[in-house]
Structures are given as C-alpha cells and as structure tokens.
Amino acid sequence: MAPFDDAADLPETTLDPDDWASFRAEAHRMLDVMVDHLASLRERPVWRPMPGEVRRAFDAPAPSSPEPLEAIDGSFERLVLPYAAGNAHPRFLGWVHGGGTAVGMLAEMMAGGLNANLGGRDHAPVLVERQVIRWVRDLFDFPAGATGLFVTGSSMANFMAVIVAKTARLGRQTRERGLQGEKLVAYASTKAHSCVTRAMELSGLGSAALRLVPVGPDHRMRLEALGDMVREDRARGFLPFLVVGSAGTVDAGAIDDLAGLAGVASREGLWFHIDGAFGSLARLSPRLAPLLAGIERADSIALDFHKWLQAPYDAGFLLVRDGDAHAGAFATGASYLARSERGLSAGAPWFTDFGPDLSRGFRALKVWMTIKAFGTRRLGEVIDRTCRLAARLADRVEREPALELLAPVALNVVCFRYRHGDADRVNEQIVLELQEGGLAVPSTTRIDGALAIRVAIVNHRCRAADLDLLVDAILDAGARAR
Ligand SMILES: *Cc1c(COP(=O)(O)O)cnc(C)c1O
C-alpha cells in the first residue's frame, strides 16, 4: 500500500449538509408536514389500499448518486404518508395499537439527532433510561433491587422473561451447559398471547413444554386447573418452573386473578411472570388499578409503552424483581467491554448486562418525554377514558337487537358480531368493508370458535361519536349483507 502522505488528497466524505441554512429550511418544512398531518388526522381515511404504482415505486434499486432532500421528502409524502396503517387515526380500533403523540414524534427527532447508544458507558441518556426504570419500578411497587430495560416490544420482553426464569431455575451454569435433560414446563392460559408460545420455541424449551391452562367464562385462568396440572406434571417427572399470567388478554382484555396466581406460584415455587403488554399500565388509573391487584407480587412484568401510553413505536419494557437473577441470564465479561471507575467506560452495570442487545437506541427518551409532557395522572385518565368508551360501546351493542356481545368487557376491548345465519362470513365481510372504505379499522378474532368483530380502544383521540359512527356503519353493512 502507498504510504499515507497527503491528507489533502482524500476525497471529502462527510455526510453533513453542504449548506446548513437550506437544510434547516427543508427540515422546518418537513416538521410542518408532520405537524399538519397530526393536526388533521380526522379529515382523512383511516387506511387506504395501496395502488399498484405505489407498490411498484418500491421496486427501484438503491440509488448510487444522491437525491436532493426535497425530492426524498416528496417521495415520502406521495408514497408513504398516505398509505400508513393509520393507527394514529381516532377510528383505528384494530388489534392493540397505540396512537402516538406529537410530543413523542419530537422525542424521536431528538433521539435521532443525539444518536446515543444505550448499551452502556457513562452518559446522560443512560440516566434517562434509569430514571424511567425507577418510575416503572415505583408504579408496580417493586423493590429497589429490581431492574429493567427497554426492548422492542412485549414479544421480546416475554421471551427474555422465559430466559431469566429458566436461568434462575437451572443456575447460571446452564448458560454454558445448555439443558441436561431437565424437563422444564411452563404454564399460561389458553388466552395467552401467541408470543408466549413463541418465547418457549425460541428458548429451546419447545412450545410443547408450555401447558395451556383452561379459562372460565370470564376468560381468566382457572387456578384449580393450574394447581392440578402442576401436580400432575411433577408426578410425571417434569420440572414446573414458570407461570405466565395475562394482564389484559389480546382477545378480550381479560386480567387473570393475579393475586391468586401469585399465591399458586409461591406455593409451587414457580417464577411468576406477567404479560402486561397493554393492560399493566391500567395501574396508572386509580379506578382501574384494583383490577391488577397482585401484579406487585410478580417476579417479572413485560409491558409496552407503545400501546396505552401512546409512545411511538417501538417501546417495550421488561421489569425484573430480582436484579441478580436478571443479570445472571445475560451479563458477560468480554474484555473489549471492560468497565472502569472513571471516564466513559464507567457506569456499570450496563444495559447490555440485562438483555441480548449490545447496541441499543434511546427508546427511553420518548417515554421520558411522554411522561413529563402529560404527567402520570393525565396518562391514567386517557387509559380510564378508553375503558369507559369500551363500556359505552358494549352497552350500545347490547341494546342493538342486530348485534350480540361475544365476550365480557374487562378493559378496553369489545368483541361482538352482527347476528346472521352465516355470521362468520358476514362479519368478516363487514370488517373488510369498513377497513377498505377507510371509515374505521376494527379487526377480528375468534371467541369460542365464532368470528368476532374486535374493537380495541387504545387511541387517545377516539371519541364516543367515533364509536357511534362505527356501529352505524356496521349495522348498515350488516343490513346490506342479508
Ligand atoms: C401486543 C401484545 C403482545 C406483543 O407485544 P409486541 O409489543 O407487539 O411485541 C403480547 N401480549 C399482549 C397481551 C399484547 O397485547
């Protein structure tokens, strides 16, 4: 290789703007586009199908030369912005999606500008995440030794909880040795989210090692059945190690008897994990918090700030009571990650000690800013309001002779259907029509085999009038289907 002699010969490779003033002007314009977007959500369809030319635009290969920012923004406004899923819209009622906020959007910009790596080291972004962890710890009355961290979502948090519980049961040496024929088994209700099954697959324990415990008519796990299954497994030589309670099932928002589960778990020596993806944050509402009694006794809780807390995607979280057990599952001692007492390598333990990721983005900032901007009381009121809206919708459904409620409404999820001789087909049709017409986006699920229109009210922008519009449209579409 030629000796390095003249730095002046090097090409200019920085990616900063050539002209900061024109970048600033374009950046302000882009911010205006997004503020206008959020301020006028109601005026647009919730969702619209993408035309072929839009889909085809994404087939173009990577450009080898630069495009002006203005043109890129033009593509975004033409091809992306109008064709998003629509979960920011007040009548997006499908699955369990958060609506996001204007403040959350700004936080994403700040985090992007800072480009912080939260794997570890000693810098203020780490303190922001630690502060949010303490807020979460306090919310659930967890002890000072509890640890937590931001992850992508509850799928990841539930998976990590399985790993922590498994490592706590078998001892840290299992990380080296792997399974030595121990027949570990875990328990969750038949209404548990599918990601719990997947967590068992990913952990290597296998989904067959997840026992699905039957639920009662209230969609809550039957505790006597759990106790029977644990005893039976033990008698057959299995090693029960974990029970996963649901705080807000995805179907109907049901909350398991968490205090009862805590009792069974402590009696049987099981790790008590709670999938509280959205429901756990009902703890922010004084009216709803009692429904979650017992959550403070969990060994770990998975939750999502991107659902009921309205933080932008993604912002999942895992909270673990026993910080040593948490670190025991993930911490390593690589020399290039050596910690020091001073300098930028201080600040141990690092977040990489508590999860599989080393490089981690600054998810904490959008939650920190959301909580500061609105305060926990107002955020709790938003959660409470969505549940009141759900109760009001359920009430209307029960008063409409053409409609029938298919599951009890525990929180913010209402499952119902249009009565019809061919109900599954007709209700599926109604939901597709609503989605494609852009008026509202409910989703579907199956309740005891029957296809249900499922309305999950998560979005803080949803109003009673939006739900009236929805029901009117369902009655209309149902009548036409006859
Ligand atoms: C959304 C949800 C999950 C999955 O969480 P992600 O953030 O989508 O990974 C798990 N359990 C329940 C009950 C949920 O609502």
Side-chain angles (χ1 to χ4, degrees), residues 90-257:
R91 283 190 301 278
F92 187 99
L93 305 158
W95 305 277
V96 177
H97 274 44
T101 65
V103 167
M105 175 178 81
L106 288 184
E108 288 288 65
M109 185 191 72
M110 308 304 218
L114 205 53
N115 192 25
N117 182 344
L118 282 272
R121 304 184 180 86
D122 200 20
H123 47 124
V126 167
L127 302 191
V128 171
E129 183 157 345
R130 288 203 184 127
Q131 185 170 27
V132 179
I133 293 167
R134 281 197 300 279
W135 292 346
V136 177
R137 195 183 77 191
D138 294 347
L139 175 65
F140 293 107
D141 279 328
F142 267 43
T147 46
L149 84 168
F150 277 86
V151 294
T152 40
S154 286
S155 301
M156 178 54 106
N158 283 322
F159 166 60
M160 286 163 60
V162 169
I163 300 298
V164 175
K166 175 185 82 159
T167 312
R169 168 48 70 98
L170 296 179
R172 229 182 134 138
Q173 64 279 7
T174 187
R175 289 175 56 179
E176 183 187 338
R177 288 197 213 135
L179 288 177
Q180 304 270 307
E182 300 96 341
K183 289 154 68 183
L184 291 178
V185 284
Y187 306 83
S189 89
T190 52
K191 297 290 179 185
H193 194 274
S194 59
C195 72
V196 177
T197 306
R198 197 159 50 156
M200 291 294 287
E201 293 169 4
L202 294 173
S203 70
L205 297 173
S207 52
L210 180 67
R211 311 288 199 235
L212 295 180
V213 185
V215 296
D218 53 4
H219 287 220
R220 302 164 96 199
M221 192 191 296
R222 288 183 39 222
L223 295 185
E224 341 71 64
L226 170 65
D228 292 347
M229 287 164 89
V230 169
R231 277 185 292 279
E232 206 173 293
D233 276 326
R234 231 173 232 134
R236 288 163 57 212
F238 289 99
L239 188 60
F241 80 110
L242 164 70
V243 60
V244 180
S246 296
T249 60
V250 72
D251 265 354
I255 301 172
D256 282 334
D257 172 359

Side-chain angles (χ1 to χ4, degrees), residues 290-306:
L291 300 173
L292 295 162
I295 198 169
E296 71 285 351
R297 291 166 67 190
D299 289 304
S300 51
I301 304 173
L303 62 95
D304 282 327
F305 293 108
H306 53 224

